[in-house]
Amino acid sequence: MDFAFSAEDEAFRAEAAVWLRAHADPAVDRRAWERTLGAAGWIGLSWPGTGYGNRSATLTQQVAWAEEYARCGAPPRSGHIGENLLAPTLFACGTEEQKDRFLPPIAAGAELWCQGYSEPGAGSDLAAVRTVAVRDAHGGYRVTGQKIWTSLAHEADWCFVLARTEPGSRRHQGLSFLLVPMDQPGRVDVRPIRQLTGTSDFNEVFFDGAHARVEHVVGGEGQGWRVAMSLLGFERGVSTLAQQIGFARELERVVGVAVETGAAADPVLRDRLVRLWAELRSMRWNALRTLGGGGDAGASSVAKLLWAGWHQRLGEVAVAVRGAGAAVGPADWTPSEPYTLDPLQHLFLFSRADTIYGGSDQVQRTIIAERVLGLPREPKGVV
């Protein structure tokens, strides 16, 4: 597919850039920012049609929007899980009633979502989930179990939960995909997880008899694995290109520090910086190729392997160009601010998780081996 931008695409890009410069404020409340995006129709550009209060954009226009969003340093999104994961899943597997109920609030930035997949002992091995959902006397479900590494659960209004609805079922069988409201005091408990960076983007979520309505099962009872796998196919796409714009800005910052500190004179460090630049360009062309091609079973796994390892190497170079100064915080310790990091220190520490979350490197390599290269599946029960 030719990914050249047409005149219409460039006009769309210019409109997006002007709007973002006028409205994007890094200090704005994230929920308020979602409502601002929704009011202007910028949520749901990839959705089919415009019947939910959203604009519709071609693939190249979606790329232009994502790039301009990253380029202007707009606030981090809180609504991307609903917009880019749940919404496409509802279009693929949901009922008309589910679409009518949930898509307009997502498009308006009025309802935020989180993803209830991973559990202790069932992270990369998603089929091992133990959370259960039992029918109650009123025809709904009572959900009980624990989810972990749940991004933005502390902000979310709803959670899509993979749970067992068939007693005694194992592995991929007997799972259902339920839409569960988070505002259930005493039945839904969200506990932030403090990370190496001192921040808490991830959470543990405990469900203790949380209520879910039977009409909020997506794809039908017992079809949860099919729906969950359909959703995972939407995880990586246009957003990868926006991510790379952010990576390029981080690389520029690291290069700037290398020049300031004199580290750029070291031929070994200079070689590492050049390699990072070249690899980032290669990742962009690979992302454009896979967006235009389609049908590549291993494309998302290859992309995850590429960017996760690249970002970790960038974090390591970010520390190396600082020398001994990388071990010193930007501010003196105080009881109220005991853990302050500068941007490059944050980059180094946060990137340590890149090869784990979103599917570990080992899992991505297994997917490529089995689904792309056709190698034999790993025998079960082998330690």
Side-chain angles (χ1 to χ4, degrees):
M1 177 178 178
D2 181 6
F3 244 88
F5 292 99
S6 67
E8 291 78 10
D9 296 335
E10 293 301 342
F12 184 90
R13 181 190 295 276
E15 180 189 358
V18 168
W19 188 89
L20 285 164
R21 284 196 297 270
H23 295 86
D25 177 3
V28 73
D29 173 78
R30 287 169 64 156
R31 186 176 284 270
W33 174 239
E34 291 297 322
R35 292 193 294 268
T36 299
L37 289 169
W42 292 113
I43 298 176
L45 297 179
S46 64
W47 299 359
T50 57
Y52 301 100
N54 60 305
R55 304 181 187 217
S56 184
T58 65
L59 184 57
T60 45
Q61 289 169 350
Q62 294 167 43
V63 171
W65 163 259
E67 290 183 336
E68 292 307 313
Y69 191 98
R71 188 169 285 120
C72 83
R77 291 289 310 279
S78 292
H80 66 280
I81 295 174
E83 176 187 8
N84 298 319
L85 297 183
L86 179 64
T89 303
L90 291 179
F91 280 117
C93 307
T95 65
E96 291 303 315
E97 291 76 15
Q98 289 168 347
K99 295 177 206 175
D100 290 341
R101 163 59 186 85
F102 292 109
L103 293 179
I106 293 174
E111 290 183 347
L112 304 180
W113 286 79
C114 61
Q115 178 177 356
Y117 274 19
S118 295
E119 300 179 8
S124 297
D125 183 14
L126 188 57
V129 297
R130 291 179 293 179
T131 296
V132 298
V134 180
R135 285 290 191 106
D136 62 21
H138 304 289
Y141 294 91
R142 293 294 175 181
V143 182
T144 301
Q146 178 187 357
K147 299 294 181 178
I148 198 166
W149 310 122
T150 310
S151 300
L152 303 178
H154 58 297
E155 299 180 10
D157 304 293
W158 288 80
C159 181
F160 47 89
V161 177
L162 191 62
R164 296 202 174 275
T165 50
E166 181 182 325
S169 63
R170 290 177 54 81
R171 304 299 297 169
H172 311 90
Q173 307 302 316
L175 296 168
S176 295
F177 188 100
L178 298 93
L179 309 180
V180 181
M182 294 291 283
D183 186 14
Q184 300 191 52
R187 298 184 184 274
V188 179
D189 181 20
V190 178
R191 302 179 189 175
I193 299 172
R194 186 178 175 91
Q195 300 152 222
L196 277 173
T197 55
T199 56
S200 299
D201 299 310
F202 303 118
N203 305 267
E204 294 179 283
V205 181
F206 295 86
F207 297 101
D208 185 8
H211 179 68
R213 296 167 62 173
V214 68
E215 60 267 33
H216 292 168
V217 176
V218 179
E221 186 175 287
Q223 298 300 309
W225 186 256
R226 176 181 64 85
V227 178
M229 293 302 99
S230 175
L231 181 145
L232 290 176
F234 302 123
E235 277 201 304
R236 307 183 227 286
V238 169
S239 60
T240 301
L241 290 161
Q243 178 191 54
Q244 291 168 10
I245 296 291
F247 286 171
R249 295 175 66 185
E250 289 178 333
L251 177 58
E252 288 173 6
R253 179 179 287 146
V254 173
V255 170
V257 172
V259 172
E260 291 173 7
T261 62
D266 182 335
V268 175
L269 273 175
R270 192 163 61 244
D271 180 69
R272 292 170 71 182
L273 289 168
V274 171
R275 284 179 179 273
L276 287 167
W277 177 87
E279 289 167 353
L280 184 58
R281 296 298 297 173
S282 297
M283 283 193 291
R284 173 175 172 78
W285 293 116
N286 180 67
L288 291 172
R289 176 186 64 82
T290 55
L291 278 177
D296 187 343
S300 62
S301 293
V302 170
K304 176 60 166 58
L305 278 173
L306 289 174
W307 72 253
W310 183 92
H311 203 222
Q312 278 194 352
R313 293 192 295 277
L314 178 65
E316 291 162 0
V317 173
V319 171
V321 300
R322 292 276 301 280
V328 181
D332 290 338
W333 185 94
T334 66
S336 60
E337 294 287 343
Y339 199 69
T340 304
L341 300 172
D342 65 33
L344 295 189
Q345 291 170 329
H346 185 278
L347 164 62
F348 171 71
L349 291 174
F350 189 86
S351 65
R352 307 320 297 167
D354 286 341
T355 52
I356 301 173
Y357 70 77
S360 68
D361 276 12
Q362 291 86 346
V363 169
Q364 305 306 333
R365 291 190 179 99
T366 298
I367 291 172
I368 294 168
E370 294 177 355
R371 301 182 188 177
V372 180
L373 302 179
L375 297 179
R377 290 183 175 275
E378 185 174 330
K380 299 298 181 184
V382 175
V383 179

